[in-house]
Amino acid sequence: MDAGTIEALIRAGLPDAEVEIDDVRGDGQHYAARVVSPQFRGLSRVEQHRLVFKALEGHIGQDIHALQLTTRSGDELSGE
Amino acid sequence: MTQYFEKNEVFDRIRQDIGENDIVLYMKGTAVFPQCGFSAAVVQILQNIGVPFKDIDVLSEPGLGQGIKDFTNWPTTPQLYVKGEFIGGCDIVRELYASGDLEGLLYQKGLLKD
């Protein structure tokens, strides 16, 4: 699956998200994604990641072999 | 689905493992012979901290690989459980370790001796 499609799927699930996708090994299989969305506010990291996985339902472990995920709600002061 | 959920031996087995062991790592391969880089990374973190943990090779038992993903509602392994609670996969464990929150959590649960 290519980066553009992953980004589109995440945006479809989280319309207000800022999404950055990086094809980590250039093989179209191992991606890193950074997703910043106000919808993550107040959610644990696990819950934040679950929202992204929901948007990518059926693809993780299938046509996306590995996705290293970073999520932020966007109002963290220290960017943590 | 709930009916099936109750009778599923894999789920019962998982409940038992995470209930009886303080720290459980569902992974591909074993702590000694990890079969996946992400699993190996979490093993390394737990060994750096120096806490004992039970490694469970999801490749070794039919149905466990998919079973743990369904049980946790999490599409990948490795999966780290502490005191029966899902902590995260490789990304989150790495993040918690980097911020010191993983050791904080283990200490708070009485699993980290000074």
Side-chain angles (χ1 to χ4, degrees), chain B residues 83 105-113:
Chain B
K83 291 274 191 187
L105 173 99
L106 294 169
Y107 185 79
Q108 186 210 347
K109 300 216 180 220
L111 299 174
L112 207 55
K113 305 292 175 286

Short mmCIF file of all heavy atoms in Angstrom, two decimals, chain B residues 83 105-113:
data_model
loop_
_atom_site.label_atom_id
_atom_site.label_comp_id
_atom_site.label_asym_id
_atom_site.label_seq_id
_atom_site.Cartn_x
_atom_site.Cartn_y
_atom_site.Cartn_z
N LYS B 83 0.06 -6.49 35.11
CA LYS B 83 -1.03 -6.70 36.09
C LYS B 83 -2.39 -6.78 35.38
O LYS B 83 -3.34 -6.13 35.79
CB LYS B 83 -1.02 -5.56 37.11
CG LYS B 83 0.19 -5.57 38.04
CD LYS B 83 -0.05 -6.46 39.26
CE LYS B 83 1.01 -6.26 40.31
NZ LYS B 83 0.88 -7.25 41.40
N LEU B 105 5.36 3.34 36.01
CA LEU B 105 4.20 2.45 36.09
C LEU B 105 4.57 1.17 36.83
O LEU B 105 3.85 0.73 37.74
CB LEU B 105 3.76 2.11 34.65
CG LEU B 105 2.67 1.07 34.52
CD1 LEU B 105 1.33 1.75 34.29
CD2 LEU B 105 2.94 0.16 33.31
N LEU B 106 5.71 0.59 36.48
CA LEU B 106 6.13 -0.67 37.12
C LEU B 106 6.39 -0.45 38.61
O LEU B 106 6.02 -1.27 39.44
CB LEU B 106 7.38 -1.21 36.42
CG LEU B 106 7.19 -1.66 34.98
CD1 LEU B 106 8.53 -1.92 34.31
CD2 LEU B 106 6.30 -2.90 34.92
N TYR B 107 6.99 0.69 38.91
CA TYR B 107 7.29 1.01 40.32
C TYR B 107 5.99 1.17 41.10
O TYR B 107 5.80 0.60 42.17
CB TYR B 107 8.11 2.30 40.40
CG TYR B 107 8.56 2.64 41.79
CD1 TYR B 107 9.66 1.97 42.36
CD2 TYR B 107 7.87 3.57 42.57
CE1 TYR B 107 10.06 2.25 43.66
CE2 TYR B 107 8.26 3.85 43.86
CZ TYR B 107 9.37 3.20 44.41
OH TYR B 107 9.75 3.46 45.69
N GLN B 108 5.07 1.89 40.48
CA GLN B 108 3.78 2.16 41.12
C GLN B 108 3.01 0.86 41.39
O GLN B 108 2.29 0.73 42.38
CB GLN B 108 2.99 3.05 40.15
CG GLN B 108 1.69 3.59 40.64
CD GLN B 108 0.72 3.77 39.46
OE1 GLN B 108 1.14 3.71 38.29
NE2 GLN B 108 -0.54 3.93 39.75
N LYS B 109 3.25 -0.15 40.52
CA LYS B 109 2.54 -1.42 40.70
C LYS B 109 3.37 -2.40 41.53
O LYS B 109 3.09 -3.59 41.59
CB LYS B 109 2.23 -2.01 39.33
CG LYS B 109 1.36 -1.07 38.50
CD LYS B 109 0.37 -1.79 37.64
CE LYS B 109 -0.46 -0.77 36.85
NZ LYS B 109 -1.87 -1.12 36.75
N GLY B 110 4.44 -1.86 42.12
CA GLY B 110 5.23 -2.68 43.03
C GLY B 110 6.06 -3.74 42.33
O GLY B 110 6.45 -4.74 42.93
N LEU B 111 6.35 -3.51 41.07
CA LEU B 111 7.09 -4.54 40.31
C LEU B 111 8.54 -4.16 40.10
O LEU B 111 9.30 -4.87 39.45
CB LEU B 111 6.40 -4.73 38.94
CG LEU B 111 4.96 -5.22 39.02
CD1 LEU B 111 4.32 -5.24 37.65
CD2 LEU B 111 4.90 -6.59 39.67
N LEU B 112 8.90 -2.99 40.62
CA LEU B 112 10.26 -2.51 40.40
C LEU B 112 10.91 -2.34 41.77
O LEU B 112 10.54 -1.48 42.54
CB LEU B 112 10.21 -1.15 39.68
CG LEU B 112 11.40 -0.77 38.82
CD1 LEU B 112 11.69 -1.84 37.78
CD2 LEU B 112 11.14 0.56 38.14
N LYS B 113 11.86 -3.23 42.08
CA LYS B 113 12.51 -3.11 43.39
C LYS B 113 13.64 -2.11 43.24
O LYS B 113 14.31 -2.06 42.21
CB LYS B 113 13.09 -4.48 43.82
CG LYS B 113 12.03 -5.60 43.81
CD LYS B 113 10.97 -5.39 44.90
CE LYS B 113 9.84 -6.42 44.81
NZ LYS B 113 8.92 -6.16 43.67
#
